[in-house]
Every structure is written in structure tokens, then in C-alpha cells.
Amino acid sequence: MDRKQLQRHLDDLLEAARFKDYCPNGLQVEGAPEVHKVVCGVTASQALIEAAIERGAQALLVHHGWFWRGEDGRITGMKRARLARLLAHDINLFAYHLPLDAHAELGNNAQLGRVLGLTPTGVAGDQGLLWLGETAQPVPASVLAQQVGAALGREALLVGDTARSVRRVAWCTGGAQGYFEQAIAEGVDLYLSGEISEQTTHLARESGVPYIAAGHHATERYGVRALGAHVAAQFGLQVDFVDIDNPA
């Protein structure tokens, strides 16, 4: 299909223009005008680029792209190596950060909720990025942490009151520990995100609301995979999801 058609569809589907983000969303690097095969993954790392080249893809679709606000803009070192490989093989790079987190069906938060068996009840916070929901039945925080770890294939870190009975949950994938206080204000029994900071532990202990850090990468594998499946079904393109392991 035509690259511009794919770009328009993704931009409109994810409402990319309405988000205030830390990076440009949409087409970040222009490649071949015709796209027949897409590789999707969490981050546009060198390893994922090589996977796209190996598979003969004309487009790479990711959640974490390039050109983050505040970083050094010079194309040297790692940036040069990555960009050189994309340009040499005429591969388009599409990246959607907050728009992919927030999408009501294909987004990281929506997909993580499904994986964890949480029933969404609403959204809150900046740009609707904090999701609210419920477990199927009340469960101790320690048990929920075990269930999260089993579902995501990596051990989840639980801090705070491990015995607290949990029914109302808030979550936001990735590095969203900064929304913890907002989650507490929403009256939840537990908050879950990907990363944890030093102060997160104290907030959990002193508020009585436990916190689960389930991994940045681990919580954000599902949105881009769902988006890739949508593209495949919508346009008949061959789409491969490649999961480059990341313990963070």
C-alpha cells in the first residue's frame, strides 16, 4: 500500500495530533513509498532494525521511536548507526508514543488491562492516560502481584501493604510512576505501572496503597502488537511482531 495512505490511517486512528508529547508522533523517517511488509516492536533499537531488514520490511512500527525532547539532536554514534541502516534499506519508521498508550481499544493501557483480566471503569489524569478498573474479585495485593508476574512472564515488584485487599485498580504502562498520587486520589486499592522510583516506595508505605512495578517493556508489548494486527487485517499487509527482550 501507499506509505502516505498508511500514515494517514495511523495518524487518524490514534488521534496523534491531539496529544502533547515528548517526541514527534507518526512518520519519523521516510523510506520506500510502497509498503508490503511491516515489522512492529516496542522500541526502534538497532536489534529491531536488523530484524526488519532481515524480514525485508518496508516499514517499522514502534511505540518508542526517536527524537525525544531535550536530548542531543546531533546524528552521531548510536543514532547515526541506527539511521544509516534504515536509510540504506529504505525502511519507513512510524512511532506512536502517548497516542498508543491512550487508545481505547488498541492502546497499551487497554491491552494490558485485558492481559491482566481487569475490567476498565474509566480514565483520569493528564490526557486520559491513567486507567481505572476492577479485578474480577477482591484479592490480596501479594496474590495480584503474583498473577501479574505470571501473565507478563517476569517477576513483578510489589511495595507497600502486601496484605491489602484489592478490587479497585489504577494503571498506566511504562514509566508512569508519577501518576501514583493521582491514582490514590481516585480512591483505588492499588496502582500498577512499569517502573518504580525511590520515592514511590515511601508513597506506597505511607499512603497505605500498594504499588506494583511490572516492567516498562513488559507492560508495553501489547499495544503495538495489537496495532500491527489491526494493520494486517485492515490492509492485508504482512505484519510481524518482534519482541526484543528487555529486562527493564
Side-chain angles (χ1 to χ4, degrees), residues 15 28-29 38 44 97 101 111 122 141 151 156 197 209 231 237 239 243:
E15 299 180 283
Q28 290 191 337
V29 178
V38 179
H97 185 230
D101 286 325
Q111 292 295 314
S197 299
V209 178
V231 168
L237 297 175
V239 179
D243 188 22

Side-chain angles (χ1 to χ4, degrees), residues 167-224:
R167 183 65 187 272
R168 297 166 298 170
V169 179
W171 70 95
C172 185
T173 66
Q177 61 269 48
Y179 289 148
F180 193 8
E181 289 187 87
Q182 286 183 278
I184 293 170
E186 293 292 332
V188 301
D189 302 316
L190 179 142
Y191 179 52
L192 182 151
S193 188
E195 297 186 13
I196 186 168
S197 299
E198 191 272 344
Q199 64 267 27
T200 311
T201 298
H202 302 296
L203 183 55
R205 290 172 177 170
E206 296 171 29
S207 69
V209 178
Y211 178 88
I212 292 177
H216 194 134
H217 178 86
T219 58
E220 297 199 319
R221 289 176 298 193
Y222 305 101
V224 72

